Amino acid sequence: MSKMKSSESVKVVVRCRPMNDKEVAANFERVVSVDVKLGQVSVKNSRGASNEHPKMFTFDSVYDWNSKQVELYDETFRPLVDSVLLGFNGTIFAYGQTGTGKTYTMEGVRNDPERRGVIPNSFEHIFTHISRSQNQQYLVRASYLEIYQEEIRDLLSKDQSRRLELKERPDTGVYVKDLSSFVTKSVKEIEHVMNVGNQNRSVGATNMNEHSSRSHAIFVITVECSELGLDGENHIRVGKLNLVDLAGSERQNKTGAQGERLKEATKINLSLSALGNVISALVDGKSTHIPYRDSKLTRLLQDSLGGNAKTVMVANIGPASYNVEETLTTLRYSNRAKNIKNKPRVNEDPKDALLREFQEEIARLKAQLEKRSGKKKKKRRRRHPGEGGEELGEDEEDEDDDGDEEAEEDKDAPDYWRKQQDKLEKEKKAILEDHSLVADEKQKLLREKERKMEDMKKEKEASEMLAAKVKAMESKLLVGGKNIVDHTNEQQKILEQKRHEIAEQKRREREMQQQMECRDEETLELKETYSSLQQEVDIKTKKLKKLFAKLQAVKAEIHDLQEDHIKERQELEQTQNELTRELKLKHLIIENFIPLEEKNKIMNRSFLDDEDDHWKLHPITRIEDNQQMMTRPISAVGYKRPLSQHARMAMMMRPEARYRAENILLLELDLPSRTTREYEEPAIAPKVAAALEAALQDEDEIQVDASTFESIGNKKSKSSRPKTGKKSSTPTSASSPGSSASPLYPQSRGLVPK
Ligand code: ADP
Ligand code: MG
């Protein structure tokens, strides 16, 4: 028994559903038989040779097609949920081919109390337990999530397109980041949470049947319980219940799938095959590495498989012959899971208990409230002398007192406020009636009173708000017999009790029968004495035959398993081939169409993110330790930024500190050198000059000589003027004769009056 405490096996139960209408109509043979008493299932392999023995499997308990939901709950699930209420972690898996009753077992038919599944039954169980508890405070919250194609969706969140990530913390382990959880105060509330989640589940799916057969749904209930320990301290225990409706276990058809579709197909059952690998590795005993990290499901439920949790696995099977392969696979799979050892323990005072936060917040708010109504409280304190001893005692009594205290407050509070108000009103009246006061003074006093009244009103509102907040928070913390009352009568309670006892007895009986069966075979041998040699031969032959049959069965089993393995390997090889082919195509494209340099750059930047198993690229700036990109220019060694040659020279040469480290050039205007010259008259030799002078002189004389033909001469000189090029001399020479011959000027034509 002591060993049981430190480690316990995963409990595996099998449930076979009834034949459905179609199967009955098609007249399928029933190949599954169930021995409920012994906890054995046998499967007849109709395809094998006719003399082949049926395959036998033994489990913790088995349920046939007549099994009732309540029966399963009382015998198998109730003890687990009880453990959760004590602070253990618990997990219930439903495993099996699609259409074998996983959802029926987990959820069942919601509105029918007879056919309700584990999840609704556990709601009832948990809240009934709380309502009957004494001196304990409870906080219950629920979350609901789904894993589809390795993506996690929060079924309770408003934004259904968002995908959540898994994170790990050293103290609390793996958790889903940003998963919403709702504090629920009653069965109704938690049922509502489940309904909302279920609605969201179908919203995201185009084909609900296909979707549910390919996705895992996990409903999580966290129960926190606070109780006074033996050491006089308040302790919190936290139990977490995972209710898992797994994807259908049938093999997904991958043949012929390519590209995106192949990727999808390989992802669909990744979590499920990873679960199988984890189970194998755990049972193997030789494996040092358990591949939890291979899928989201196994990471999330790491504790439930070989860790700190109590786990029940329900293997659902169908009875008809055409499902025989899947049924056998399911039975083998769950048969292995039986051997997983868990190490459950009570989670006491974990750091992240929400209940503790609530309690602290309530205490803080209460203190605030007390401060506000300090006077009032003081009065009342005197009326309740010597209250409470130890910490929680006070707390608890507080709880108990709260009832009448609240009632008192209800009576008192309005009274108190009314009295104050009356007092102020009276004072106001007195002021109004007081004739000895001056009008001004009266007004002032009145205003003051009114302000006081206003303040009082505000104060009252604030206190009321605080009180409401405290009340709201306290209502979330459930206390048996107060916030939550059990309405079942004594007779029903006794009936329930008896049912549990019967369930327990049944379980023990089955265990004993299984043990007896084992021992029978051993002891028979020891006890037997033989009266004659012949008898010994007979008996031993019989035994030999029996053993031989067993040997054959085992051999057949080995053969089957090998065949299964071969089939699985072929499938894997095929997938691998497809993937290799695709990889080759990608290679071809990269090698031929992407420049080598670019490829290398990208290769250097890429890394595998373990958290979400995706290849990612480092941001470009981070490559600097590779010294390939974004290195600082050589000119900037030791400086804040690249410097020009000029700036550096300036720094060295000039004493002033200004612009020392700056890259500013100080430049005077650099005037360009002159490219033109002043005009100089060409130098003329004196002889030439004299000759020219002489020549011009002559011309003058000629003009003078021709004074009789002035009009002609004038015209001539005008036209000849440009030819000489000498402006200064010509006009003088021309005007001088003109001035003397003024009567020869033409008459004005009258345009400009003279
Ligand atoms: P799964 O979730 O494994 O795909 P379901 O739970 O949806 O399968 O069950 C398929 C059908 O079989 C449902 O119509 C369900 O009501 C019926 N069924 C399954 N198990 C039982 C059972 N034990 N008794 C009666 N009906 C059952
Ligand atoms: Mg289902």
Side-chain angles (χ1 to χ4, degrees), residues 180-219:
S180 44
S181 75
F182 286 86
V183 173
T184 52
K185 302 195 288 275
S186 62
V187 175
K188 231 186 190 159
E189 281 187 26
I190 200 166
E191 264 173 1
H192 177 69
V193 167
M194 184 179 80
N195 289 341
V196 168
N198 280 337
Q199 266 162 23
N200 280 335
R201 209 179 166 202
S202 50
V203 162
T206 42
N207 176 352
M208 188 52 202
N209 253 348
E210 186 178 290
H211 183 82
S212 82
S213 74
R214 291 174 169 195
S215 64
H216 312 282
I218 308 179
F219 195 90

Side-chain angles (χ1 to χ4, degrees), residues 271-544:
S271 275
L272 213 55
S273 58
L275 182 66
N277 294 340
V278 165
I279 292 174
S280 300
L282 281 168
V283 173
D284 184 15
K286 280 178 268 173
S287 312
T288 49
H289 170 71
I290 313 293
Y292 290 117
R293 296 189 74 92
D294 281 3
S295 79
K296 300 257 152 85
L297 179 76
T298 46
R299 276 194 82 189
L300 201 52
L301 299 174
Q302 183 165 344
D303 260 345
S304 312
L305 299 158
N308 170 25
K310 296 185 175 220
T311 302
V312 173
M313 184 164 167
V314 191
N316 289 99
I317 54 174
S321 55
Y322 71 104
N323 279 334
V324 72
E325 298 272 333
E326 280 301 340
T327 301
L328 279 171
T329 316
T330 302
L331 289 173
R332 285 191 192 115
Y333 191 97
S334 27
N335 208 27
R336 267 185 303 168
K338 273 193 321 200
N339 302 315
I340 298 175
K341 292 270 186 292
N342 280 347
K343 296 176 267 315
R345 56 169 193 276
V346 174
N347 306 308
E348 198 155 5
D349 292 325
K351 275 190 215 129
D352 55 347
L354 197 63
L355 186 60
R356 177 84 69 208
E357 272 172 43
F358 265 64
Q359 282 176 338
E360 278 163 9
E361 181 67 14
I362 288 173
R364 200 179 60 80
L365 288 175
K366 269 190 174 165
Q368 245 181 38
L369 199 63
E370 203 150 311
K371 228 197 263 165
R372 275 185 179 278
S373 50
K375 263 193 274 165
K376 209 165 39 127
K377 279 267 169 187
K378 259 184 224 154
K379 263 191 237 156
R380 199 170 303 149
R381 270 282 145 82
R382 255 176 266 136
R383 262 190 277 156
H384 288 273
E387 202 178 26
E390 334 89 289
E391 276 263 286
L392 188 97
E394 201 169 44
D395 227 33
E396 285 296 316
E397 270 176 56
D398 241 18
E399 289 294 331
D400 291 341
D401 279 359
D402 253 7
D404 45 42
E405 207 168 22
E406 258 166 37
E408 250 177 68
E409 218 165 301
D410 283 346
K411 266 190 280 147
D412 266 14
D415 253 18
Y416 173 78
W417 295 115
R418 203 177 309 129
K419 263 183 212 156
Q420 293 287 319
Q421 215 162 349
D422 284 354
K423 208 171 122 201
L424 279 172
E425 287 282 353
K426 250 183 228 159
E427 279 170 0
K428 219 165 119 182
K429 225 183 220 168
I431 292 167
L432 274 173
E433 282 164 6
D434 193 345
H435 298 294
S436 64
L437 285 168
V438 194
D440 245 13
E441 218 169 313
K442 232 183 211 178
Q443 278 294 322
K444 211 168 113 195
L445 279 170
L446 273 175
R447 239 177 281 141
E448 201 172 303
K449 288 289 162 211
E450 253 158 33
R451 218 191 50 233
K452 254 190 191 164
M453 270 169 99
E454 194 73 14
D455 283 352
M456 216 173 72
K457 220 179 189 176
K458 268 188 203 151
E459 174 90 356
K460 190 184 159 195
E461 272 168 15
S463 312
E464 273 171 1
M465 233 164 69
L466 259 178
K469 212 167 165 190
V470 171
K471 226 177 195 172
M473 286 200 85
E474 273 183 335
S475 77
K476 287 188 179 173
L477 299 187
L478 305 175
V479 179
K482 195 179 153 212
N483 324 52
I484 176 167
V485 186
D486 183 20
H487 293 294
T488 43
N489 60 31
E490 279 310 307
Q491 246 176 345
Q492 269 174 313
K493 273 185 206 172
I494 292 168
L495 198 72
E496 263 175 46
Q497 186 66 31
K498 283 274 175 283
R499 267 220 313 266
H500 302 169
E501 275 168 25
I502 290 169
E504 180 62 17
Q505 205 139 11
K506 252 188 183 172
R507 195 183 57 76
R508 249 181 281 152
E509 203 177 312
R510 193 170 43 238
E511 242 171 49
M512 263 151 69
Q513 280 223 344
Q514 282 178 1
Q515 277 172 6
M516 248 162 57
E517 182 116 310
C518 278
R519 229 167 275 165
D520 259 6
E521 290 179 9
E522 291 164 21
T523 46
L524 261 180
E525 205 172 330
L526 295 174
K527 277 185 195 156
E528 266 170 285
T529 47
Y530 309 109
S531 48
S532 70
L533 224 58
Q534 185 55 43
Q535 197 190 5
E536 195 178 342
V537 169
D538 281 350
I539 290 172
K540 288 209 165 154
T541 321
K542 222 193 263 168
K543 191 170 276 167
L544 196 66

Side-chain angles (χ1 to χ4, degrees), residues 119 123 142-144 190 193-194 217-221 241-244:
I119 298 179
F123 297 164
S143 309
Y144 202 178
I190 200 166
V193 167
M194 184 179 80
I218 308 179
F219 195 90
V220 188
I221 309 175
L241 180 62
N242 294 305
L243 300 155
V244 190

Side-chain angles (χ1 to χ4, degrees), residues 39-105:
Q40 284 179 337
V41 184
S42 57
V43 181
K44 214 165 34 172
N45 196 348
S46 52
R47 273 173 227 177
S50 56
N51 62 351
E52 201 174 306
H53 287 269
K55 299 204 165 16
M56 291 272 284
F57 299 88
T58 308
F59 292 96
D60 291 290
S61 44
V62 295
Y63 296 93
D64 62 10
W65 33 93
N66 299 317
S67 61
K68 297 266 174 310
Q69 299 274 44
V70 185
E71 231 174 275
L72 246 90
Y73 193 80
D74 281 342
E75 284 176 38
T76 304
F77 305 124
R78 188 178 286 279
L80 183 93
V81 179
D82 274 330
S83 303
V84 171
L85 289 166
L86 290 176
F88 288 96
N89 290 339
T91 300
I92 299 173
F93 285 111
Y95 179 92
Q97 186 187 1
T98 301
T100 50
K102 295 184 296 295
T103 308
Y104 183 82
T105 304

